[in-house]
Amino acid sequence: MTITASEIPTTIATTPEQVRSAELEQQLRQTPERFRVLTGDRPTGALHLGHYFGTLHNRVRLQDLGVEVFVLVADYQVLTDRDVAERLTEYVDGLLLDHLAIGIDPARTTVFNHSAVPALNQLLLPFLSLVSVAELGRNPTVKDEIAHSRQSSVSGLMYTYPVHQAADILFCKGNLVPVGQDQLPHLEVTRTIARRFNERYGAVFPEPDALLSAAPLLLGTDGTKMSKSRANSIALSAGADETARLIKGAKTDAERHITYDPEGRPGVSSLVLLAALCLDRDPHEVAEEIGNGGAAVLKRTVTDAVNTRMAPIRARRAEYAQDMAYVRSVLRAGNERANEIAERTLDEVRDAMGGLR
């Protein structure tokens, strides 16, 4: 048995979004063929363990349930918070390798990239007409992204980011989007655009639901949020020795006895959680076993757990890396399928809007 992001216990469902998400999980198991999922990543760096346990593993779960999954390589959206798309080819190749290595099956999951699907991006224009500048400016997720932007000034692409995401989701008529709580405002923009388009021009789009992720929070080796841009992550592409070195340097605290207390001991608890996820065990049990062993035993336990869990993924990744022609053909095939779908959807949109061409 392996643990998945949606199966990690967090809190009892209390908000309407949590209740709805729980209902959707039941429906996914009963009638997975009813759902089309859109998810994806910006190719801005190497995917890491936080991505694996937070989102990537869940994509394989949904695929294996029989859900139709689309994985977007969001290359255009790299520019939302930076001036140039650095090392783009390298990062796209790495993202493809990681997805294949973890078990994404190109026969069941469509992997494609923004820049190869012109019809998708053309949806941005009519969609922008359905939201106001004030609505975009009030989006709390956009505000947070602006606050953490690496740019000296914010581009228009940052403000329209949620609308571009709406095009990503609706081009394939996705009706389910795995998101974290912080991404709900973005998805609400998509739902608003779909609803307003349907009211104004006729029913074309579904209003997609949020499948709330119960993903665990894994901190980086410096004790802050694990991030591609902060040099504090453990990449899926990292070897056993590099993984050991990174974990050895991870931040802990001065208390010798190991406990699982995410609020009081975030650094220690993140390491305990990482070991527990890799071992498919409860983090409290892992902490109790380590007990007075201190940080040294904790880090050794984490290193062994991560390297054991990642060994088959690393082996598959290395094998795929020997045939990059095949890896890139996966993206080409996905782009072809995405283009066919996007062009059909754009034709529907044009017809609904009065025969625009």
Side-chain angles (χ1 to χ4, degrees):
M1 175 182 176
T2 55
I3 196 164
T4 68
S6 65
E7 296 166 343
I8 298 166
T10 52
T11 57
I12 297 173
T14 55
T15 69
E17 294 84 3
Q18 289 171 333
V19 171
R20 176 60 177 156
S21 192
E23 293 172 351
L24 289 165
E25 280 290 351
Q26 292 298 320
Q27 294 174 26
L28 282 166
R29 287 167 172 77
Q30 295 165 359
T31 55
E33 68 279 359
R34 288 179 47 219
F35 296 96
R36 179 174 275 186
V37 165
L38 187 287
T39 184
D41 307 280
R42 295 196 306 158
T44 56
L47 297 180
H48 51 64
L49 291 177
H51 293 120
Y52 177 73
F53 288 110
T55 59
L56 302 180
H57 197 277
N58 197 39
R59 294 171 191 177
V60 178
R61 178 184 76 97
L62 292 169
Q63 167 193 273
D64 292 347
L65 281 174
V67 176
E68 188 174 13
V69 179
F70 287 74
V71 175
L72 167 65
V73 182
D75 51 359
Y76 273 163
Q77 288 176 356
V78 168
L79 299 173
T80 54
D81 62 351
R82 57 200 73 204
D83 297 324
V84 295
E86 298 174 333
R87 301 166 64 185
L88 188 59
T89 299
E90 173 191 339
Y91 291 148
V92 170
D93 284 347
L95 191 150
L96 292 169
L97 285 169
D98 288 336
H99 277 78
L100 292 170
I102 66 168
I104 287 294
D105 179 1
R108 294 180 289 166
T109 293
T110 300
V111 185
F112 68 102
N113 61 329
H114 263 154
S115 58
V117 189
L120 183 164
N121 297 294
Q122 286 187 59
L123 292 174
L124 184 61
L125 293 177
F127 285 1
L128 280 170
S129 74
L130 298 169
V131 290
S132 69
V133 173
E135 285 174 318
L136 294 177
R138 286 197 300 267
N139 187 307
T141 307
V142 169
K143 287 182 177 180
D144 182 68
E145 287 167 348
I146 289 172
H148 292 88
S149 172
R150 62 175 62 187
Q151 292 176 305
S152 57
S153 61
V154 176
S155 72
L157 187 58
M158 177 67 83
Y159 280 101
T160 59
Y161 185 30
V163 184
H164 203 179
Q165 285 193 325
D168 299 338
I169 296 163
L170 297 177
F171 97 94
C172 64
K173 299 188 179 179
N175 58 5
L176 192 63
V177 184
V179 294
Q181 191 78 28
D182 62 330
Q183 291 293 310
L184 285 175
H186 274 352
L187 186 59
E188 191 54 40
V189 172
T190 300
R191 291 174 55 83
T192 297
I193 287 171
R195 182 170 61 253
R196 289 177 182 172
F197 187 96
N198 294 341
E199 290 170 351
R200 188 173 299 182
Y201 301 112
V204 172
F205 297 111
E207 291 184 37
D209 278 303
L211 185 67
L212 279 178
S213 169
L217 175 61
L218 287 174
L219 299 180
T221 53
D222 61 355
T224 67
K225 179 181 177 181
M226 190 176 291
S227 170
K228 287 181 285 189
S229 61
R230 296 183 184 179
N232 68 353
S233 60
I234 301 171
L236 296 185
S237 57
D241 291 343
E242 182 183 359
T243 296
R245 177 181 62 78
L246 292 168
I247 292 172
K248 184 177 181 180
K251 183 178 179 181
T252 54
D253 59 34
E255 187 176 342
R256 181 174 180 80
H257 187 78
I258 301 302
T259 58
Y260 183 64
D261 177 11
E263 291 294 325
R265 307 181 69 187
V268 166
S269 297
S270 182
L271 287 171
V272 170
L273 178 59
L274 177 54
L277 289 167
C278 290
L279 296 167
D280 190 19
R281 296 184 58 193
D282 182 275
H284 294 92
E285 293 178 358
V286 173
E288 186 176 353
E289 279 190 9
I290 297 170
N292 288 321
V297 174
L298 170 61
K299 291 179 179 181
R300 186 161 62 246
T301 300
V302 176
T303 299
D304 291 344
V306 170
N307 281 335
T308 299
R309 178 66 176 263
M310 291 296 114
I313 294 175
R314 290 170 182 155
R316 287 193 296 269
R317 195 182 195 280
E319 184 176 350
Y320 281 118
Q322 297 301 309
D323 189 1
M324 290 305 298
Y326 166 74
V327 172
R328 290 167 185 149
S329 75
V330 167
L331 187 60
R332 284 197 302 273
N335 287 339
E336 289 177 9
R337 179 156 193 266
N339 268 297
E340 292 172 0
I341 294 170
E343 287 166 6
R344 288 199 301 269
T345 300
L346 184 59
D347 283 343
E348 284 186 67
V349 166
R350 287 166 167 167
D351 289 341
M353 295 178 70
L356 294 170
R357 283 294 181 270

